[in-house]
């Protein structure tokens, strides 16, 4: 295992971005119909896509 020192920003930047995208997806799902539904589906699919990407990459 490589013992690399990482800053607070390097550790939490990507999870924070994903959290903001998910929060936007949840709010857009509550706002209305039409384009809001589409944006909410896309935003809420981001964590699933990231998880699937890294799960396939690990194999």
């Amino acid at each position: 295992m490589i013992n690399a020192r990482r800053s607070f920003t390097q550790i939490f930047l990507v999870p924070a971005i994903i959290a903001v995208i998910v929060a936007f997806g949840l709010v857009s799902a509550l706002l209305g119909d039409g384009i809001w539904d589409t944006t909410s589906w896309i935003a809420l699919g981001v964590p699933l896509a990231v998880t699937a990407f890294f799960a396939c990459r690990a194999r």
Side-chain angles (χ1 to χ4, degrees):
M1 182 172 165
I2 297 173
N3 196 6
R5 305 269 311 163
R6 294 185 180 168
S7 69
F8 184 79
T9 305
Q10 289 173 329
I11 294 171
F12 291 107
L13 181 63
V14 174
I17 290 171
I18 293 172
V20 168
I21 292 171
V22 168
F24 172 76
L26 292 172
V27 170
S28 67
L30 292 173
L31 286 178
D33 292 328
I35 192 71
W36 292 109
D37 288 334
T38 305
T39 57
S40 68
W41 276 98
I42 292 170
L44 294 174
V46 168
L48 297 174
V50 170
T51 303
F53 173 77
F54 283 104
C56 291
R57 192 176 131 194
R59 293 182 188 186

